[in-house]
Amino acid sequence: EGMCGRVVTTSSPEELSEYVGARDVVEALKGPDHNVAPSRLLPVAWVDDQAASGRVLGVAQWGLVPSWATDPAVGVRLFNARAETVAVKPSFRAAFRRRRCLVLIDGFYEWGLSIAGSPKQPWFVYRADGSPLALAGLWESRSDDGRTLRTCTVVTVPANADLAPVHHRMPAVVAEDDRDRWLDPTTSDRSTLEEVLAPSPDGLLALHPVDRRVNDARQKGRELTIPVSLEALPDRSGSQEVLW
């Protein structure tokens, strides 16, 4: 429900650190991945008081594990947080007050809008201007077998006009002017923070249908993001009516 559950990460650590003004890169992904599912690593930026510039770029496992969780497997279900309840939900409220981050991706897949009677159609969604997407995220950190496990979740909001024909929710994209406010650990006022969590301005995002191979998270490669024609998709109903 309200899912952002599959993303694309292609920007280099250098590009991302420049994009969000993070001088310190503490950890980076191994390389591009055009089909990232929850429980995998995502690039994240947060404010660290010990860092020279304040903002650091690192990675976090996708799926928030609250500090009080006895079993880290709980994170598998906590890869999204609804903006409407994030401030009060026990899984998210502590991180919402003190540990907010930007989850930095280059696009995401959303499932919806298909030819009548056929399975849901995957769409690739990205910024129309080609920049990365800085999504509103929360992070937690815990020690697991002597190593630090940083985990994150992506906050979702109602869809804007770009996405509404495909899906009723979307990840919250943090506007450049709002990044300081969202990342500042000393800001914990709920209404101040909730103002950041809004549907994107119409026109910010572009999207196109892609091949259903993306449904399988083991499928990789840039070709997963290439547009396909809706007419060319297998039609199991005998009807070509597109349901908007």
Side-chain angles (χ1 to χ4, degrees):
E1 182 59 26
M3 292 206 284
C4 166
R6 208 69 74 72
V7 305
V8 171
T9 55
T10 52
S11 291
S12 68
E14 294 75 24
E15 290 167 322
L16 292 179
S17 55
E18 186 176 333
Y19 186 61
V20 296
R23 282 199 207 124
D24 297 299
V25 178
V26 293
E27 213 178 343
L29 300 181
K30 300 273 188 293
D33 190 336
H34 294 82
N35 201 359
V36 186
S39 84
R40 313 301 296 179
L41 297 175
L42 293 178
V44 292
W46 69 95
V47 167
D48 181 347
D49 302 335
Q50 320 303 272
S53 65
R55 284 186 196 180
V56 295
L57 179 70
V59 300
Q61 185 174 300
W62 189 9
L64 193 85
V65 181
S67 54
W68 45 260
T70 48
D71 181 5
V74 68
V76 174
R77 296 193 307 279
L78 300 177
F79 58 89
N80 280 171
R82 291 174 68 92
E84 294 85 342
T85 54
V86 65
V88 293
K89 214 167 179 187
S91 309
F92 302 126
R93 62 190 180 198
F96 180 74
R97 280 199 298 272
R98 286 188 292 281
R99 287 176 292 280
R100 295 175 301 277
C101 62
L102 299 174
V103 177
L104 302 166
I105 63 169
D106 295 277
F108 60 95
Y109 298 103
E110 200 52 87
W111 278 261
L113 183 66
S114 74
I115 310 295
S118 58
K120 281 194 169 176
Q121 171 60 39
W123 294 70
F124 178 53
V125 188
Y126 49 97
R127 272 187 74 123
D129 65 6
S131 299
L133 288 159
L135 307 182
L138 310 175
W139 65 271
E140 288 281 4
S141 173
R142 62 193 281 139
S143 190
D144 203 27
D145 295 333
R147 66 184 189 100
T148 301
L149 173 70
R150 190 182 301 276
T151 61
C152 68
T153 190
V154 171
V155 182
T156 67
V157 293
N160 69 353
D162 300 332
L163 247 76
V166 172
H167 201 264
H168 62 285
R169 304 284 294 177
M170 69 183 296
V173 181
V174 180
E176 200 167 341
D177 296 349
D178 287 333
R179 287 184 199 161
D180 286 339
R181 173 167 35 164
W182 181 251
L183 291 178
D184 184 354
T186 63
T187 301
S188 59
D189 178 62
R190 180 176 169 181
S191 58
T192 304
L193 293 168
E194 285 178 341
E195 283 170 16
V196 174
L197 302 174
S200 297
D202 299 338
L204 183 83
L205 302 176
L207 67 160
H208 57 246
V210 293
D211 193 281
R212 288 202 171 95
R213 278 180 311 150
V214 77
N215 295 3
D216 179 355
R218 292 165 303 188
Q219 295 281 341
K220 299 293 178 189
R222 195 178 66 81
E223 63 277 7
L224 293 174
T225 64
I226 291 173
V228 298
S229 145
L230 277 181
E231 288 69 46
L233 298 167
D235 175 43
R236 295 173 181 77
S237 67
S239 155
Q240 285 299 323
E241 182 192 357
V242 174
L243 301 178
W244 283 92

